[in-house]
Each structure stands twice: as structure tokens, then as C-alpha cells.
Amino acid sequence: MSCFVEVLFTPAEFNTLRQQDLTQTFCVVFDILRATSVITAAIHNGAAAVIPVETINEAIHLRRQNPDHLLGGERNGLRISAELSGGVEFNLGNSPREYSSERVHGKTIVSTTTNGTRALRACANAQAVLAASFLNLNAVVEFVRHQSPGRLNIVCAGTHEDTALEDVLAAGNLCERLSARLQSCELADSAEVARRAYRHSMDDLPAAIRTAANARRLLNNPALADDVQFCLQFDCYDVVPLLGKDGAIRKFLPTA
Ligand code: MLT
């Protein structure tokens, strides 16, 4: 069966997914800097689950129901403080480097970020929803190849209400790899746009991404600058973080 691939570039686009029939569609969500890179790192490092929620209040409510859960995420790129949340200090920010196995192994993390968790929730009715990053891109390609969906939406989380260059280049990289690795893959024009953007930058992808607004924001903060380099590691985690029907993201475990 041929896989028809589309790319959604902004929140205005992915917000319409809630009204669509996605029962025959896989969604791959990119928020390279940094939400899906964080989720990939956390799942690789043994987190039991990551629960993406849209608001700080939702996160706090879930934690009150489950006191062992950790609270993670960001607003304006920084860990959510008690001052911002009305009295609850979040345990973790949104740097993938914080989500070490010592810190997260066996833990469930409730996460809220500016765009990434919104994008993941918007896809909740899809046949399958994957958190993707450069860290696990090959694992994502192999998952799609084995599952062979008829339709694939690649969702770029963006920043606030705008497109994020790093997400588009990751989407283009995925389109390039799917075109090479799937038996049959048809790219919509939106996917061809992303693939051509990737091809234009592929000779030095890190350099291209360091010009992105999100990257420049992080590079200008000494405490967060190393996150850019971390999120630009390629294919180092062989994990597929899959959103379950209960709203929790867990490591996909192939049935024997
Ligand atoms: C987002 O969700 O927009 C990003 O993850 C923001 C960040 O990590 O700084």
C-alpha cells in the first residue's frame, strides 16, 4: 500500500486535526527544540511514561491525583516556577539533558510546553501518534516502514503561532528517508516543500538550524545553549515514543 505523506507547518494547521477523521492516519510530531527531543531522551532513559498536557493547571491537577508523577516543561523556555504556576515548583524544565536515567527511570512525567505538547494533543485521535526528533529519526522511519500506514501527517509543532525552521527541516529529512525506504510513498506538495528545504540545507543541517529563531533563543541563554547541540545528534536513540489512548506516551514495544 502506498503511504500518502503530508506536512503541517503551523499550529493553525495542526489545530484543525481535532475535527478530522484520523482513524486511518499516523501522525509524527516534531518539536526539535525541544519538546519531542526531551520526550525521546526521557523514554530512552527509562521513563515509564510522559503525559503531554496543554496547560499548567492540567499538569498540576494530574500531579495532585498522582503524587509520584514528576512535573516537567517550560514557559518561555524556562522551567515552570511556583510563581508562574500559583505555588507549585515544577521538578524539571525542558532541557533534554535534565532527563537522565538517574532522574527519570521508572517515573511518569507530566509535561506542558509552549507548542510541543499542544501538537501532540491535537493528534490524539490519530491511528498512531509518534514523538519524533533527530535523536530517534531512524527508529521512526523503521516503525512507519513496518506499520505501513496509508496516510501520514508530519506535524511541525512550530513556535507560538509560527513555523519553526528546525521542525520543517526534520520533516523534510523524514520525507527524504521515507521516499528512499518505503516500497511506495507519495509526497503531497506540502511534503515536497519540506523535502526541498531539507535538501537545500542537508550539507550542513546543524549550521542551518543554528540560524533558526528557537536555536538563537536557546544559544543566547548560557544555561540552555548546549541543548541545541544535544538536539542535533542524529539517530542515537533506538526508541519510538508512542502516544497511547490513555494520553500517555510510552516506548513502543514490538510484539514478539
Ligand atoms: C515548545 O514546546 O515550543 C518548545 O519545546 C519550547 C522550548 O523547549 O523552549
Side-chain angles (χ1 to χ4, degrees), residues 29-163:
V29 179
F30 284 111
D31 187 322
I32 296 294
L33 296 174
R34 302 165 287 176
T36 56
S37 298
V38 165
I39 292 168
T40 302
I43 297 296
H44 169 77
N45 287 330
V50 178
I51 303 175
V53 296
E54 297 197 43
T55 69
I56 291 172
N57 285 340
E58 283 177 273
I60 292 171
H61 177 71
L62 260 179
R63 178 37 185 263
R64 283 205 181 104
Q65 291 178 321
N66 307 274
D68 292 340
H69 289 4
L70 296 177
L71 289 173
E74 58 72 42
R75 289 294 183 273
N76 303 310
L78 302 175
R79 183 170 56 84
I80 296 165
S81 63
E83 181 185 4
L84 186 64
S85 69
V88 177
E89 201 76 26
F90 274 44
N91 305 98
L92 295 155
N94 208 39
S95 167
R97 295 174 289 133
E98 296 176 77
Y99 290 70
S100 64
S101 52
E102 293 78 15
R103 191 77 179 84
V104 305
H105 193 274
K107 292 286 189 180
T108 293
I109 301 131
V110 182
S111 175
T112 178
T113 69
T114 308
N115 282 54
T117 54
R118 283 167 59 192
L120 287 158
R121 294 303 315 152
C123 300
N125 296 326
Q127 186 181 6
V129 185
L130 292 72
S133 63
F134 286 123
L135 301 162
N136 69 334
L137 196 51
N138 190 57
V140 168
V141 170
E142 283 306 297
F143 179 85
V144 172
R145 190 169 69 84
H146 283 110
Q147 300 289 329
S148 62
R151 295 183 70 88
L152 176 68
N153 283 351
I154 302 175
V155 178
C156 299
T159 302
H160 298 295
E161 301 316 311
D162 302 320
T163 302

Side-chain angles (χ1 to χ4, degrees), residues 5 88 107 138 172 192 202 210 225 229 238 240 245 250:
V5 183
V88 177
K107 292 286 189 180
N138 190 57
E192 192 58 41
M202 64 191 283
R210 280 192 289 270
Q229 186 60 36
D238 186 18
V240 176
K245 293 306 177 191
R250 298 178 180 86

